[in-house]
Amino acid sequence: MKVLVPVKRVIDYNVKVRVKADGSGVDLANVKMSMNPFDEIAVEEAIRLKEKGLATEVVVVSIGVKQAQETLRNALAMGADRAILIEATADVHQDIEPLAVAKLLAAVVKEEGPGLVLCGKQAIDNDLNATGQMLAALLGWAQGTFVSEVALDGDAAKVTREVDGGLQQISVKLPAVLTVDLRLNEPRYASLPNIMKAKAKPLATKTPADYGVDVSPRLTVIKTAEPAGRKAGVKVGSVDELIAKLKDEAGVI
Amino acid sequence: MDFGLTEEQTMIVETTRAFVETELYPHELAVERSGHLPLELIRELQQKAMAAGLYAANMPVEVGGAGLDTLSWLLYEKELGRANYALHWTCVARPSNILLAGNEEQRERYLMPCIRGETWDCLAMTEPGAGSDLRGMKASARPDGDDWILNGTKHFISHADLAGFAIVFVATGEEDTPRGPKKKITAFFVDKGTPGFTVRDGYRNVSHRGYTNAVLEFDECRVNKRQILGEVHKGFEVANSWLGATRLQVASTCLGRAERALGHALSYAAERRQFGQQIGKFQGISFKLADMAMELKAAELLTREAAWKYDQGTVTEADMSMAKLKATEVLAMIADEAIQIHGGMGLMDELPLERIWRDARVERIWEGTSEIQRHIISRELLRPLGA
């Protein structure tokens, strides 16, 4: 079984995000970019499936600017076998919207025929949490979202989902789209020998036109603003005072 | 001229830094405070470093290394160099290149166990009476049938307590040269436990806490001629062919620590407020930061250029000495200024600055003092002029 893992190049999670002076978005000039951490977890899971002999090939795909090639190389260095880059824009500030991404991925799925798509539950830049669900809908496949455990079982996957009330276990029929959550695994380091080998692995470059998909934006960003700064707290003199404030002012106990 | 890093080099930097920050930083304070690196911790971190392909990555692919070009290797050294020395040197060991000079049997017996993390190597050259003037060494060996008998004392021998064997350089004769008599040197592998070979604890060191040094004593210590590394009387030739780039390694680890110190100085200057503004807005602080960043870049460019020339086969002794000299002196400056920017807090061991400052001191001494490096550089300038 082939596993397809879409990966997104996003602002590194360690970077202090700054809004552009004109409010049109986040400033990405000279900012460190990395693989979306949830996608890294998806890549790790796919590689583990391959190591367990449950998957035969791990194909990673990224949609965005040509620099996303670095993100794909990273996935190859972790252990993915092959990469596809769909160059959808030359502007690092243009975010390709989930529906366009899902349509492109659906086209890739038709071409590649994977038995499983593992995605990050959301990208840490726009936090939309939509692509995996849209992809499943477009394909008419089963979906499991917010996945913290995966066990393949014949033509089904038993997955544990992190839901508001706790953990939910469901069985989804394959082929399926699974969107993975933080606690699924701890991604490995791209090892030095694998980094050296990554260059030799195939990386195909495509455009949205190759798949007949229109990626022009349907949403308009009106304004981007920094979140309001937190107000300073108050110091309390005693435990009694704290309890009184929690009771009377905050009303939480 | 291309000053950029390749995709692979960028990934090597990222992977090594992630490892250093996630796996090594959390143990630094305990090692610094106790001056001790527990064996269980070494074993645990070695396993992780091996899984990440970082262990012995300086070695060629055919013996299990990563097969890096010189610049890539030095980028990896730089990231490792950010951390406490004992942690990165012991748990992410880079066996000495000189082990590659060994014959088939010696590689199997000494190099491979180091690459597999089963033991460590150590190099013994320095003596109480022979530092920069290595030819002045007194330790000697005399032939006896198929064996050689070693006598003498070595000191400042790094991590000899952990090492399973030592590569020992001793005088095996003397030759007359136009500049007077000159000692002939031979390198021997000497196993721990060989009768007549004793390893004693060395000195307490201001720099690199947890990274020990030892005194090695040889008293009628008998080793077979199969233990000779290279040829008899050719010890310096072996050292010169295989240890040339260690100056660049020292330079790189210093650059890593300097970059870490500068990072702390920058964040502090941007966050700390005094007299109603961020202290980075005061010219007294901001100009320091500008100089620190500029000097670091200059040092890094010297090292990168030397690395590039090393692979081209055009590197000179002066290139490597300049890189080592500049990087070690820049580290001292940046560590000192980073502390100045932090004020009193910079001296407390909750931050890594006080130890980076202490650790910086040895770098201008070992692997050739700053004075020796200046001598090498000026000699290369003057020799063509007959001076």
Side-chain angles (χ1 to χ4, degrees), chain B residues 145-186:
Chain B
D146 272 351
D147 297 336
W148 288 75
I149 314 287
L150 273 65
N151 279 291
T153 303
K154 299 282 175 185
H155 80 161
F156 293 164
I157 309 309
S158 298
H159 59 266
D161 54 342
L162 272 175
F165 62 93
I167 299 163
V168 188
F169 291 78
V170 293
T172 42
E174 212 169 65
E175 60 188 331
D176 282 321
T177 72
R179 291 199 230 154
K182 197 168 145 191
K183 281 189 175 139
K184 296 187 203 171
I185 310 292
T186 305

Side-chain angles (χ1 to χ4, degrees), chain B residues 9-259:
Chain B
Q9 287 167 338
T10 308
M11 280 194 271
I12 288 169
V13 169
E14 283 173 0
T15 256
T16 315
R17 184 174 303 181
F19 184 89
V20 165
E21 289 180 347
T22 316
E23 312 293 350
L24 303 187
Y25 282 7
H27 302 290
E28 284 184 328
L29 195 57
V31 173
E32 286 290 333
R33 286 188 177 170
S34 67
H36 178 63
L37 185 55
L39 194 61
E40 315 82 74
L41 179 61
I42 295 175
R43 293 294 177 213
E44 180 198 327
L45 292 174
Q46 270 185 316
Q47 287 308 314
K48 288 183 175 176
M50 282 180 192
L54 292 170
Y55 203 88
N58 62 315
M59 285 285 146
V61 175
E62 61 268 25
V63 293
L68 306 175
D69 58 80
T70 303
L71 178 55
S72 303
W73 164 58
L74 291 172
L75 291 166
Y76 149 89
E77 290 288 345
K78 180 184 166 198
E79 296 309 317
L80 291 174
R82 299 168 75 88
N84 162 283
Y85 211 90
L87 276 166
H88 76 72
W89 194 262
T90 315
C91 308
V92 196
R94 285 84 82 202
S96 173
N97 273 341
I98 204 167
L99 293 167
L100 291 165
N103 57 34
E104 199 70 16
E105 185 195 340
Q106 291 169 338
R107 278 190 176 207
E108 233 11 85
R109 187 160 160 201
Y110 296 107
L111 172 65
M112 298 315 290
C114 291
I115 291 174
R116 292 193 296 261
E118 294 157 12
T119 192
W120 292 264
D121 58 292
C122 70
L123 287 181
M125 291 193 192
T126 306
E127 294 180 9
S132 296
D133 179 19
L134 267 178
R135 293 254 186 208
M137 65 172 62
K138 288 208 176 67
S140 65
R142 61 170 201 276
D144 182 28
D146 272 351
D147 297 336
W148 288 75
I149 314 287
L150 273 65
N151 279 291
T153 303
K154 299 282 175 185
H155 80 161
F156 293 164
I157 309 309
S158 298
H159 59 266
D161 54 342
L162 272 175
F165 62 93
I167 299 163
V168 188
F169 291 78
V170 293
T172 42
E174 212 169 65
E175 60 188 331
D176 282 321
T177 72
R179 291 199 230 154
K182 197 168 145 191
K183 281 189 175 139
K184 296 187 203 171
I185 310 292
T186 305
F188 290 88
F189 286 106
V190 186
D191 294 282
K192 278 260 184 78
T194 306
F197 173 31
T198 316
V199 177
R200 283 198 292 112
D201 285 347
Y203 316 89
R204 294 282 286 182
N205 185 352
V206 69
S207 301
H208 299 321
R209 296 234 166 109
Y211 186 70
T212 57
N213 65 80
V215 178
L216 272 48
E217 285 167 351
F218 300 91
D219 179 16
E220 292 291 297
C221 175
R222 179 180 290 270
V223 297
N224 190 268
K225 66 177 181 195
R226 298 208 323 271
Q227 311 272 110
I228 292 174
L229 175 60
E231 290 170 41
V232 176
H233 303 324
K234 301 281 185 204
F236 268 161
E237 284 78 353
V238 178
N240 289 338
S241 324
W242 295 92
L243 298 180
T246 50
R247 269 171 286 170
L248 299 181
Q249 184 176 30
V250 171
S252 294
T253 54
C254 287
L255 293 173
R257 251 168 300 138
E259 192 174 84

Side-chain angles (χ1 to χ4, degrees), chain A residues 13-14 16 32-34 66-67 69-70 72-78 186 188-199 203, chain B residues 6-9 11-12 14-16 18-23 48 50-54 57 64-69 72 76 271:
Chain A
Y13 72 97
N14 276 315
K16 212 169 164 185
K32 183 172 168 9
M33 305 293 283
S34 298
K66 73 164 188 292
Q67 293 91 318
Q69 187 180 316
E70 293 160 18
L72 289 169
R73 286 275 177 226
N74 237 308
L76 294 173
M78 283 174 73
E186 214 175 289
R188 69 194 62 195
Y189 298 102
S191 82
L192 257 54
N194 281 339
I195 289 173
M196 305 307 281
K197 281 180 214 147
K199 196 169 191 165
L203 190 153
Chain B
T6 63
E7 260 174 23
E8 289 84 58
Q9 287 167 338
M11 280 194 271
I12 288 169
E14 283 173 0
T15 256
T16 315
F19 184 89
V20 165
E21 289 180 347
T22 316
E23 312 293 350
K48 288 183 175 176
M50 282 180 192
L54 292 170
L68 306 175
D69 58 80
S72 303
Y76 149 89
E271 275 161 28

